Amino acid sequence: MTENDYFLAWGIYAFAAFGCLMVWMRLTTWIWRWLRQPLRLVMAVVLFTPTIVDPGKSMFAPAVAMTALDILFKDAGHALPAMSDLAMYSLVALVVYLVYALVRWPIERSSRARRAEQAARDEAQARADAQRRDEPDEPFGAGDRYGRTPPAPPASPSPAGRMRVEPRL
């Protein structure tokens, strides 16, 4: 196998593995999030973990394919190193995910509490607006909602006996 064939085979495998990962993500959309994300992570590790085939040439192959072929052809030469690589990478990925989840958890809890508090404030504001709309609207009442007060009556009438009326703008 030439180097170009080697890279071509890895490219085809990577494309197919990415397609399988997308199908797996679509299949796991209905699962509870705290179970769905680790399952997706484990599937990504299973699909994309390489294992060494020939130490002299430093050639790698997908660990799941090496394990499957060794079990299928009853050749245990490469199955154990491939399974140990899968186990090691899976353990590392799950520990990193666990740290990520533990950091994310309190942040999401505080965000959820903040959203609930905001919703309660919005509901109280909506109730106050509805109550204010239900009050009778008296434009020249004693307590106008815009802070206006009715004009005071004039102290003394004009000498002609009529009060002067000015239009309000």
Side-chain angles (χ1 to χ4, degrees):
M1 176 180 265
T2 65
E3 189 172 340
N4 287 338
D5 293 340
Y6 179 70
F7 286 126
L8 181 64
W10 264 110
I12 292 170
Y13 177 78
F15 184 73
F18 184 72
C20 289
L21 186 64
M22 292 298 108
V23 168
W24 180 252
M25 286 188 174
R26 181 71 180 142
L27 288 174
T28 58
T29 54
W30 62 273
I31 300 175
W32 180 52
R33 184 178 90 181
W34 293 97
L35 179 62
R36 175 181 63 224
Q37 291 175 346
L39 285 175
R40 289 178 175 178
L41 182 71
V42 167
M43 181 57 87
V45 168
V46 166
L47 289 173
F48 293 110
T49 298
T51 189
I52 196 152
V53 177
D54 188 11
K57 294 182 181 178
S58 70
M59 295 184 77
F60 290 88
V64 69
M66 286 294 298
T67 305
L69 289 173
D70 282 353
I71 290 173
L72 182 68
F73 293 124
K74 297 183 175 61
D75 179 28
H78 298 289
L80 290 178
M83 287 190 289
S84 70
D85 285 345
L86 275 173
M88 181 185 64
Y89 285 123
S90 297
L91 183 65
V92 168
L94 287 175
V95 166
V96 168
Y97 174 75
L98 185 64
V99 168
Y100 167 71
L102 288 176
V103 167
R104 182 180 65 182
W105 190 18
I107 294 170
E108 286 181 350
R109 283 181 51 190
S110 66
S111 174
R112 206 174 307 125
R114 204 171 26 251
R115 278 192 304 253
E117 183 179 308
Q118 181 65 31
R121 267 187 280 166
D122 290 346
E123 186 178 329
Q125 181 67 31
R127 273 190 267 122
D129 290 344
Q131 183 181 10
R132 192 174 21 178
R133 277 192 304 260
D134 294 342
E135 292 176 357
D137 189 22
E138 297 179 19
F140 297 111
D144 193 9
R145 68 177 169 193
Y146 299 110
R148 299 180 300 201
T149 57
S156 63
S158 63
R162 293 182 273 158
M163 293 179 40
R164 182 176 173 184
V165 178
E166 295 183 13
R168 292 184 80 158
L169 299 177

